[in-house]
């Protein structure tokens, strides 16, 4: 019997994904409401990440359907007295 594994695509979250990401996180973390996730994503939107790093993080999708999200807070090392390092939490 063949097992079909869906192809999962990973890409940076962009502004147009915010509503769908908030909805996904609300379903995945039912102790937090949609307003909480919109507020969290709004806070991330105010940050300027280091070059080439995502503002929000990454999303996972299969067949055009959002199936996962990885939120990141990226910062330059100067905040940690290491000017050439970058951290992501």
């Amino acid at each position: 019997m063949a097992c079909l594994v869906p192809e999962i695509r990973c890409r940076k979250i962009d502004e147009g994904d915010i509503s769908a990401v908030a909805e996904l996180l609300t379903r995945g973390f039912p102790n937090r409401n949609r307003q909480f996730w919109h507020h969290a994503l709004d806070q991330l939107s105010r940050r300027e990440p280091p070059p080439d790093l995502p503002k929000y993080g990454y999303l996972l999708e299969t067949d055009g359907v959002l199936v996962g999200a990885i939120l990141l807070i990226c910062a330059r090392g100067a905040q940690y007295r290491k000017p050439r390092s970058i951290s992501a939490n």
Side-chain angles (χ1 to χ4, degrees):
M1 177 187 291
C3 178
L4 297 177
V5 178
E7 182 177 318
I8 297 177
R9 179 178 170 225
C10 178
R11 65 173 175 83
K12 288 181 182 180
I13 297 169
D14 63 34
E15 297 292 327
D17 299 314
I18 298 301
S19 221
V21 169
E23 183 63 36
L24 176 79
L25 293 169
T26 301
R27 287 193 318 267
F29 297 92
N31 58 327
R32 302 286 187 191
N33 63 26
R34 194 165 204 251
Q35 181 179 359
F36 172 88
W37 291 112
H38 271 285
H39 178 72
L41 293 164
D42 182 57
Q43 293 299 310
L44 288 176
S45 77
R46 298 166 195 242
R47 298 181 51 84
E48 190 58 43
D52 299 323
L53 292 175
K55 181 171 278 214
Y56 303 100
Y58 297 94
L59 61 76
L60 305 172
E61 61 186 358
T62 185
D63 295 328
V65 176
L66 184 61
V67 296
I70 303 166
L71 299 182
L72 296 173
I73 301 171
C74 300
R76 293 182 205 282
Q79 296 169 345
Y80 305 102
R81 303 190 195 285
K82 297 177 186 172
R84 297 200 187 274
S85 69
I86 295 176
S87 67
N89 297 309

